[in-house]
Amino acid sequence: MNTTVQTKPKAMLPDPDINEVSKPYWDALKKGKLTFQHCRKCGNNWLPARGECPKCLEADWAWHDASGKAKLISWVVFHRAFHPAFEDRLPYNVAVVELVEGPRMITNIVVEDAEKLVIDQPLTFMPAEEQGHGIARFRPV
Amino acid sequence: MGTNLSGKAVIAGIGATRFGTLPGRTTISMNVEAIRKALNDAGIEKDAVDALYVKCPTSKFEMMYGQRIAEAIGLQPRIGGVWDSGGSSNVIMISQAIMAIEAGQCEIAVVTFADNPKSGSAAGYSHPRGEDALYGWFAVLSSYAMIARRHMGELGTPREALGAVAVAARRHGAQNPNAQLRKPLALDEYMDMPPMVAPFGRDDCTLVSDGAAAVVVMSTERARKMGVPKPVPVLGFGFGQTGWDVTQRPDMTSTQAKVAGETAFKMAGLKPKDMNVAQIYDCFTITALMTLEDYGFARKGQIADFVKGGNIEIGGELPINTSGGLLSETGMPGMQLIHEGVRQMRGDAALQVKDAKHCIISNQGGVMHTHAALILGQ
Ligand SMILES: [Zn+2]
């Protein structure tokens, strides 16, 4: 019988798919800055990164800094891990938030009890880091 | 405004495999079994078929899959191939077959679907979500749970309303000998269930199932000439889609079931109150609630009143998912609902709604991205 105690190596988080268009977004996040794409033709603001404006289809856009103000559109609380890296975080929440500038994004809300959150409540950006990547979390105001 | 095709075509036959776990069966083999049974049910020879519409297995996409099915049944169809708009595909393919028949491009169409995610791989249903993986954003079910939470917060929908959908499906499925999950569910059991991805627990979620189901479609005239024993007329159909992912969708609490339903009701010259029974896509409990709202069975935000007290169960005002739906009969994406609609109109369902004359069927795909409505009559 083998009595050696083997510690399970910690599971790695799945890495995000980063491409040429989205790289500036991830680079800015790593510096703690949240940015979004702004269309110079029609004024539309959006996330996640795309090559063309989904409103006017032009490719004439620039990265703008977000104010960090947002509101809570909806959220869920995971009580089951669909990937081993999240097993020791249960329960954890994932939310959709809308920045005051317009873009919507997936995030986590930094809060004690996510079941006490309220639809449309105001939030503010909190930079964080996971596995060498900058990420954007939010907390209630 | 084009020609109104209401009543011009029928579902002439239906056929399916067993539902549940079918180890060792390929999707091709299951499709062939379903097609063979559908042709037998219609009482026609396969050589009469000249169109073959196929929904590709959800768990494994394959190029030219429609042509592989054609080879497996030894067919040279005029029209053949795969249509993919997720779970709305089957109603859309039936509708497209009807339009093609009316345009003289084909005469008899088979529409078929098979998948084996239970004994094969279901990885396609729970992959990490691209750029959002670091936030722990996984699985299709959490997108539906996100919509449910918004519906509850914005419109005050109680969990009991979600529960009513699960309770109805499980009560009906328990009386279906071919259902995969035949254990009834009481509302207080539902309310006490532990959360999985809150606000959802296990009983809010579709089954994962192997199985195949097919239908035969032809003109009403052709069915009469061929002596098809139990043709069921298609009175209306309609579609609607949004391109926006749930995270980007400006209005999270409405779906394109609204435009699909309106189109189908208008084509049929009928209203929601004319429906005696409904087969409503219930991949998750919230899907059925929002579809009923968007079809006009209840005003937005008042669906809880409509579904309570057994109103959507057998004996109620609008029994839904009378063979158990995705929550109890099989997790198959939609064709089983069409089959049950056909049985209800023929009057030979296991749980028959008395004197049912009209049935509306919903199919939807993605995360409420695509929607198709089908109205059957007698
Ligand atoms: Zn633009």
Side-chain angles (χ1 to χ4, degrees), chain B residues 20-44:
Chain B
T21 311
L22 304 175
R25 293 289 298 277
T26 64
T27 58
I28 304 251
S29 151
M30 290 190 279
N31 268 308
V32 174
E33 180 187 338
I35 293 168
R36 182 181 73 232
K37 289 176 170 171
L39 292 172
N40 288 341
D41 186 49
I44 65 166

Side-chain angles (χ1 to χ4, degrees), chain A residues 39-44 46 53-58 60:
Chain A
C39 179
R40 283 193 281 236
K41 286 276 188 242
C42 77
N44 187 26
W46 70 89
C53 168
K55 195 170 170 189
C56 73
L57 316 189
E58 293 294 341
D60 183 12

Side-chain angles (χ1 to χ4, degrees), chain A residues 92-113:
Chain A
Y92 70 91
N93 71 74
V94 180
V96 175
V97 300
E98 183 176 293
L99 307 183
V100 289
E101 293 88 353
R104 287 190 178 190
M105 58 183 292
I106 283 285
T107 185
N108 308 120
I109 308 299
V110 180
V111 66
E112 193 79 15
D113 181 1

Side-chain angles (χ1 to χ4, degrees), chain A residues 8-75:
Chain A
K8 205 166 101 186
K10 191 165 162 39
M12 294 284 283
L13 292 164
D15 272 318
D17 308 324
I18 299 174
N19 57 39
E20 211 167 296
V21 180
S22 65
K23 195 173 178 299
Y25 172 83
W26 289 98
D27 288 348
L29 262 186
K30 202 161 184 177
K31 294 179 195 143
K33 222 167 64 175
L34 178 61
T35 56
F36 60 86
Q37 281 170 299
H38 169 77
C39 179
R40 283 193 281 236
K41 286 276 188 242
C42 77
N44 187 26
N45 297 330
W46 70 89
L47 282 175
R50 307 171 195 269
E52 294 77 27
C53 168
K55 195 170 170 189
C56 73
L57 316 189
E58 293 294 341
D60 183 12
W61 47 262
W63 287 101
H64 281 199
D65 292 349
S67 66
K69 293 195 187 79
K71 68 173 177 180
L72 180 61
I73 299 301
S74 192
W75 78 102

